[in-house]
């Protein structure tokens, strides 16, 4: 085995890992990667015919046509602790799964080069940061990781002599021959190990993304008392008062996370407000020395969905793809003759000229009846290409979070915004959130799909324990906990049109929330069973044309919708069994009572007491409905 590369590794634990990996995988050549290798690797990939140089100096790639997105059913978690088995994490005992996957990988790099990617997640010199070593046979993965994480010397320096790094093995596998059941994307969080074979795209193969930042980090965060979340981070500056406040938000996919993170304020508000981006996908959050919750984005780049991106929807994403940014586009439409790319929504009208290929490389015209770009086509660009990147992105401590937002795409019932009464209710809201499925993602169209905290695909341990951990962190923050809100930009009217314009106009909603977080008397609200909803006049609507009917529909509490929703929530919470946190149990019953009355509450209580095999503690029983609580001495009710 020959180890080459522009940087040298001295750390014995890393060297040992490299040797053992090369031996298992059968790689003859090993190359250690540094960020500075990017241009050369790009050149090699272009020469190999796998990457195309575009007219503007950016790059275009195609994935294997069967390898276009994360696949949850092939994503597993293996640990030695059976209590890590959750509802959605495909848990397997380590001894059962890991040897099997390692055996599958054995010899799969024969005749190939093994690239070693030392990556740092988080700012250098920060207690937030973590290091991983990913070995891979894919140069495409390497150049993407260089954009998404801090690669090479910076990571090794950060690690020093420590053996405390994530051990990642990635083999693409023979994608042409592979059956779906031969794909394995495995987190082994109690051994800080990641094994992946059968893909070279996105979260399946770029270990810094979901594997390290969410599954591994959240497993460790639980032990260490912090949170690793699927959240954007942004700053909102009020140029008039000088106030600069930060928020974090978790939305399931297709609910506008990247567009919100990169938003441009609407014209009427640009002279007063400035919006800063810190992250569009991942937030690591922990209590700071001042007692507040601080957030940091561990990523170094954006791996954003391309279709739909244009001047109107996301100016800053477009800026990240400008000439000179060395952006890699994957799976969009491509015209070899001119070196241009196109995707649905890039221009109002599709290109009328000839010579276009679709994302699979087949000839394409707007009349082909197919997409030019795959719906999950992506751009990979370093975050430093974002013109609105906050200087605080580099701050080793992160930024203090004033408010947390949960939300998802729902056509009705869920108002534009509501504030949860306290942090524990915020956790309850995140735990029960979800979206309505659209034609693009599921055969079962228009079904509610639960996606708690937008974390369902990224769980490494049991959901009930995860919610309890969230509650513990919030309890520790006490009065310093951020304010919690639920937003929905996607309400539709009877004519099927969106009631709210969305995009930059969403700033108006965020500003109301920040005023509420600061308890400003101007942010008036109507308190409803599901939280505080803005009074229409308390939203800043300067320069926005919206009818009062639309506005009242957006800010309406719909009791019928919520009665149904409470039944769904009871069923969901019942699936947590004995690991349903008592606090969620208690909050849920309180909300059910307010929404649906005391009989419904008793019914929900019966279901949840049965599923969780516990009695709700008397202190949390409703005063109105529990005669036992009227007893003057607590002892008498135990
Ligand atoms: O998981 S990916 O990195 O492929 C994309 C995403 O869902 O953010
Ligand atoms: Mn994501």
């Amino acid at each position: 085995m020959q180890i080459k590369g522009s940087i040298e590794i001295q750390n014995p634990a890393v060297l040992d890992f490299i040797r053992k990996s090369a031996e298992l995988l059968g790689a003859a050549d090993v190359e250690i990667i540094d960020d500075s290798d990017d241009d050369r690797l790009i050149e090699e990939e272009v020469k190999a015919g796998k990457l195309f140089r575009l007219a503007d100096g950016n790059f275009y790639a195609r994935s294997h046509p069967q390898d276009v997105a994360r696949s949850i059913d092939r994503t597993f978690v293996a640990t030695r602790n059976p209590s890590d088995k959750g509802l959605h994490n495909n848990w397997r005992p380590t001894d059962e799964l890991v040897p099997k996957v390692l055996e599958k990988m054995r010899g799969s790099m024969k005749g190939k080069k093994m690239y070693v990617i030392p990556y740092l997640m988080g700012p250098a010199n920060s207690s937030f940061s973590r290091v991983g070593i990913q070995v891979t046979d894919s140069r495409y993965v390497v150049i993407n990781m260089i954009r998404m994480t801090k690669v090479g010397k910076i990571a090794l320096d950060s690690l020093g002599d420590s053996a405390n790094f994530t051990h990642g093995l990635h083999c693409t596998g023979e994608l042409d021959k592979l059956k779906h059941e031969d794909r394995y994307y495995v987190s082994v969080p109690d051994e800080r190990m990641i094994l992946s074979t059968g893909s070279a795209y996105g979260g399946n193969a770029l270990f810094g993304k979901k594997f390290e930042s969410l599954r591994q980090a959240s497993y460790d965060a639980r032990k260490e008392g912090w949170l690793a979340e699927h959240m954007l981070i942004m700053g909102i500056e009020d140029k008039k008062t000088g106030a600069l406040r930060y928020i974090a938000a978790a939305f399931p996919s297709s609910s506008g996370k990247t567009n919100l993170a990169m938003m441009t304020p609407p014209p009427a508000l640009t002279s007063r407000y400035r919006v800063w981006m810190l992250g569009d996908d991942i937030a690591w959050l922990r209590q700071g020395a001042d007692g507040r919750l601080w957030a940091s984005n561990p990523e170094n780049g954006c791996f954003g969905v391309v279709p739909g991106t244009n001047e109107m929807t996301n100016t800053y994403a477009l800026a990240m793809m400008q000439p000179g940014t060395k952006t890699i586009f994957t799976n969009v439409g491509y015209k070899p003759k001119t070196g241009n790319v196109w995707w649905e929504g890039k221009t109002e009208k599709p290109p009328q000229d000839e010579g276009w290929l679709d994302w699979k490389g087949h000839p394409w015209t707007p009349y082909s009846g197919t997409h030019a770009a795959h719906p999950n086509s992506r751009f990979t660009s370093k975050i430093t290409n974002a013109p609105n990147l906050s200087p605080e992105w580099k701050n080793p401590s992160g930024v203090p979070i004033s408010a947390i937002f949960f939300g998802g795409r729902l056509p009705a019932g869920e108002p534009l915004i509501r504030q949860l009464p306290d942090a524990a209710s915020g956790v309850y809201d995140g735990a029960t959130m979800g979206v309505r499925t659209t034609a693009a993602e599921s055969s079962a169209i228009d079904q509610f799909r639960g996606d708690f905290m937008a974390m369902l695909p990224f769980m490494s341990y049991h959901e009930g324990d995860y919610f309890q951990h969230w509650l513990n962190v919030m309890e520790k923050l006490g009065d310093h906990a951020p304010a919690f809100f639920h937003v929905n930009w996607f309400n539709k009217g009877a004519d099927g049109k969106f009631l709210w314009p969305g995009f930059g106009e969403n700033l108006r909603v965020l500003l109301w929330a920040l005023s509420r977080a600061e308890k400003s008397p101007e942010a008036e609200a109507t308190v409803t069973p599901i939280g505080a909803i803005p009074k229409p006049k308390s939203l800043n609507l300067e320069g926005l044309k919206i009818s009062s009917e639309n506005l009242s529909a957006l800010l309406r509490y719909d009791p019928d919708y919520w009665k149904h929703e409470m039944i769904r929530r009871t069923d969901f919470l019942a699936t947590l069994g004995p690991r349903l946190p008592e606090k969620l149990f208690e909050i849920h019953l309180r909300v059910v009572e307010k929404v649906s009355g005391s009989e419904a509450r008793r019914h929900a209580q019966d279901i949840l007491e049965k599923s969780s095999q516990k009695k709700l503690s008397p202190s949390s029983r409703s005063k109105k409905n529990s005669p036992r609580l009227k007893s003057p001495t607590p002892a008498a009710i135990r």
Side-chain angles (χ1 to χ4, degrees), residues 322-366:
Q322 286 310 297
T325 57
K326 298 188 187 176
T327 295
I328 301 170
F329 293 95
T330 306
N331 290 346
V332 294
Y334 171 57
K335 182 164 171 176
K337 198 157 170 207
T338 56
N340 286 321
V341 286
W342 189 82
W343 53 84
E344 278 66 25
K346 183 182 186 188
T347 49
E348 215 177 309
K349 281 200 187 130
Q352 300 298 312
D353 50 332
E354 289 182 356
W356 284 93
L357 304 178
D358 69 7
W359 64 275
K360 290 183 179 171
H362 300 149
W364 177 88
T365 76

Side-chain angles (χ1 to χ4, degrees), residues 126-382:
S126 161
S127 54
F128 268 118
S129 299
R130 303 157 59 82
V131 172
I133 310 285
Q134 174 176 3
V135 306
T136 178
D137 53 6
S138 163
R139 199 165 33 209
Y140 169 82
V141 164
V142 175
I143 56 180
N144 275 274
M145 279 291 284
I146 285 178
R147 282 153 183 75
M148 295 305 299
T149 66
K150 300 185 182 78
V151 164
K153 187 169 178 318
I154 187 170
L156 292 169
D157 286 351
S158 202
L159 185 64
D161 293 336
S162 167
N164 194 15
F165 60 90
T166 303
H167 302 58
L169 257 61
H170 171 247
C171 310
T172 306
E174 291 187 67
L175 299 183
D176 275 333
K177 296 187 197 157
L178 221 53
K179 292 204 227 67
H180 188 60
E181 58 272 24
D182 289 329
R183 298 169 206 268
Y184 284 94
Y185 316 125
V186 187
S187 282
V188 194
D190 53 352
E191 294 184 19
R192 252 190 112 168
M193 180 159 76
I194 301 165
L195 306 174
S196 164
T197 180
S199 170
Y201 189 61
N204 296 338
L206 311 179
F207 285 3
K209 226 172 185 344
K210 314 302 188 189
F211 273 122
E212 178 75 50
S213 297
L214 293 177
R215 295 188 193 100
Q216 181 67 51
S218 67
Y219 196 86
D220 299 337
R222 180 189 177 198
K223 275 183 268 166
E224 297 164 8
W226 53 286
L227 297 166
E229 299 299 322
H230 193 200
M231 287 180 173
L232 65 86
I233 311 170
M234 61 199 275
I236 298 171
E237 183 180 349
D238 183 337
K239 291 189 261 185
K240 191 166 143 196
T241 64
L244 179 49
R245 289 156 306 181
Y246 298 94
I247 63 170
F251 308 147
S253 60
S254 304
S255 298
K257 198 145 51 81
T258 302
N259 287 341
L260 188 69
M262 297 187 191
M263 74 141 68
T264 316
L269 303 187
T270 33
S271 61
R272 174 146 180 200
Y273 297 101
R274 185 162 179 176
V275 177
W276 297 96
M277 199 253 290
L278 286 103
D280 74 330
D281 201 37
I282 316 272
W284 288 350
L285 307 118
R286 64 181 85 199
Q287 190 168 26
D290 63 355
R292 302 173 68 189
L293 187 66
W294 288 64
S296 169
N297 167 21
E299 297 196 283
N300 196 50
C302 293
F303 183 65
V305 170
V306 187
T309 306
N310 58 50
E311 275 299 335
M312 210 286 285
T313 59
N314 199 332
T315 330
Y316 290 123
L318 277 190
M320 293 183 80
M321 312 167 182
Q322 286 310 297
T325 57
K326 298 188 187 176
T327 295
I328 301 170
F329 293 95
T330 306
N331 290 346
V332 294
Y334 171 57
K335 182 164 171 176
K337 198 157 170 207
T338 56
N340 286 321
V341 286
W342 189 82
W343 53 84
E344 278 66 25
K346 183 182 186 188
T347 49
E348 215 177 309
K349 281 200 187 130
Q352 300 298 312
D353 50 332
E354 289 182 356
W356 284 93
L357 304 178
D358 69 7
W359 64 275
K360 290 183 179 171
H362 300 149
W364 177 88
T365 76
Y367 312 102
S368 298
T370 54
H371 285 136
H374 186 279
N376 192 38
S377 53
R378 300 266 171 169
F379 73 96
T380 323
S381 184
K382 283 197 179 176

